[in-house]
Amino acid sequence: MKNEKINLNEKIFIAGASGMAGSAILRSFQKGGYGNLSAGGSIITPSSKELNLLDINQVESFFATKKPTVVVLAAAKVGGILANSTQPAKFILENLKIQTNVIETAWRSGVKRLLFLGSSCIYPKFAKQPIEEESLLKGPLEITNESYAIAKIAGIKLCDSLRIQYGFDAISLMPTNLYGPGDNYHPQNSHVMAALIKRITDATINSEPSIKCWGTGKPFREFMYADDLGEAVLFALKYWNPDADNAPRDTEGKALSFLNVGTGNDISILDLAKKIANLTHYKGEIFWDSNKPDGTPKKQLCVKRLKELGWEAKTDLDTGIKKTIESYKASTKTL
């Protein structure tokens, strides 16, 4: 493809590069030849100790000193149903601060392109399936992650508003549920895929006769391997120009500045648990605690627009889960 929007000589700032999504994005850029000093490029990945994104003074000083030309905002406070339900103030405050500090400073600093990572939880709880981008703000959100979703919606709208009013080249991607190396396996704060992989893998290793999982297992979720997201981010930064005549548009013909990214396929949590059990060779019973919340009943993204631009996910669910299980085992030294 021609007319690439970024070059190998860019100074690329990946905010949140130590997380699962950010590290996958970093791998994608490195694989694509970015960050090569001989070509004049660099990839800047400060840790949270080196750069506190909640501190506007630190953020402004960082941009003034490092002068990045491309920014990927993958940093966020994230967690599962329990964490979102018990810490709503933290989820909305910290994410709003991170987003505003980075996006506004990038704009004021003259950054060439910025990509903001949102989340599929921005969409209404009972959105028509598969969920198209037009569903945004068309209904009430899932209450268990409302604070996080509102913060992410604000980030999307900030990028869109800066594009409209000031011509700032900010785009956003809405990933489906991610999993892969570097995921968070905390017993209370993890997402469903990581929680199930940890619970079932540990039970297999410890020969536990049975395990208990949250909810009924009936909700459907879509899952994408993190490295596929990394490739999607690089693809979007290189080739997606919302101002182009052939750019994706909504049903009213208006150019879209945010796109869904996922596999387009979903699976019930019950079947996902069975799949993980099969891949880990777990022989025990799985019980479901229906007193625990299920969350949104179904959340499957429509990914036709990014596909029309020329990108689609490559990693099938079985392959991705196998890789993630091995990564989890290695991280806990339980091989």
Side-chain angles (χ1 to χ4, degrees), residues 61-322:
S61 177
F62 170 84
F63 273 84
T65 304
K66 300 297 184 180
K67 295 180 169 52
T69 59
V70 175
V71 173
V72 179
L73 180 46
K77 178 173 177 57
V78 297
I81 290 177
L82 178 62
N84 274 274
S85 300
T86 57
Q87 304 173 49
K90 272 195 171 185
F91 274 87
I92 194 166
L93 275 173
E94 292 191 15
N95 283 303
L96 284 174
K97 287 179 181 178
I98 290 169
Q99 295 164 190
T100 304
N101 288 349
V102 173
I103 296 169
E104 182 179 6
T105 306
W107 161 57
R108 293 191 183 280
S109 301
V111 163
K112 177 180 174 181
R113 290 212 97 184
L114 178 143
L115 187 145
F116 170 65
L117 277 188
S119 166
S120 59
C121 75
I122 64 167
Y123 294 115
K125 180 174 182 176
F126 298 109
K128 180 182 176 182
Q129 306 287 321
I131 307 171
E132 296 185 339
E133 288 85 352
E134 288 90 344
S135 294
L136 182 64
L137 298 178
K138 296 295 175 60
L141 299 165
E142 161 57 40
I143 192 66
T144 56
N145 59 14
E146 185 180 61
S147 291
Y148 178 74
I150 289 173
K152 285 296 185 180
I153 292 170
I156 298 165
K157 290 300 183 181
L158 176 56
C159 288
D160 195 39
S161 298
L162 288 171
R163 170 177 285 277
I164 293 170
Q165 188 170 348
Y166 298 107
F168 180 48
D169 192 3
I171 55 177
S172 303
L173 288 180
M174 301 304 109
T176 189
N177 299 282
L178 299 174
Y179 70 99
D183 206 343
N184 171 24
Y185 296 99
H186 189 279
Q188 276 81 46
N189 297 333
S190 59
H191 287 105
V192 61
M193 176 71 86
L196 288 175
I197 285 177
K198 173 180 171 56
R199 189 73 187 89
I200 296 172
T201 301
D202 289 354
T204 304
I205 293 167
N206 298 323
S207 301
E208 296 178 26
S210 66
I211 60 172
K212 184 179 288 186
C213 297
W214 269 43
T216 64
K218 294 179 181 179
F220 280 75
R221 291 291 182 272
E222 176 184 357
F223 298 95
M224 182 171 65
Y225 192 58
D227 283 69
D228 282 346
L229 173 66
E231 296 295 331
V233 166
L234 179 54
F235 178 90
L237 282 168
K238 289 172 68 175
Y239 301 121
W240 175 27
N241 176 10
D243 298 326
D245 292 338
N246 62 345
R249 296 179 179 276
D250 64 18
T251 52
E252 296 179 354
K254 297 178 182 178
L256 287 163
S257 62
F258 70 97
L259 295 176
N260 293 335
V261 53
T263 64
N265 302 305
D266 63 2
I267 183 173
S268 74
I269 302 303
L270 179 64
D271 286 341
L272 176 64
K274 290 179 180 178
K275 183 182 288 290
I276 295 171
N278 180 57
L279 292 172
T280 56
H281 307 292
Y282 179 62
K283 304 301 182 183
E285 289 191 74
I286 300 176
F287 295 101
W288 296 88
D289 184 357
S290 59
N291 291 318
K292 295 292 192 294
D294 272 335
T296 303
K298 184 178 174 70
K299 195 166 62 172
Q300 179 185 8
L301 293 181
C302 173
V303 295
K304 66 179 181 181
R305 285 168 169 135
L306 195 55
K307 188 174 182 179
E308 288 169 357
L309 279 176
W311 185 89
E312 58 183 318
K314 299 180 180 66
T315 308
D316 66 83
L317 190 58
D318 280 36
T319 299
I321 292 175
K322 286 177 185 176

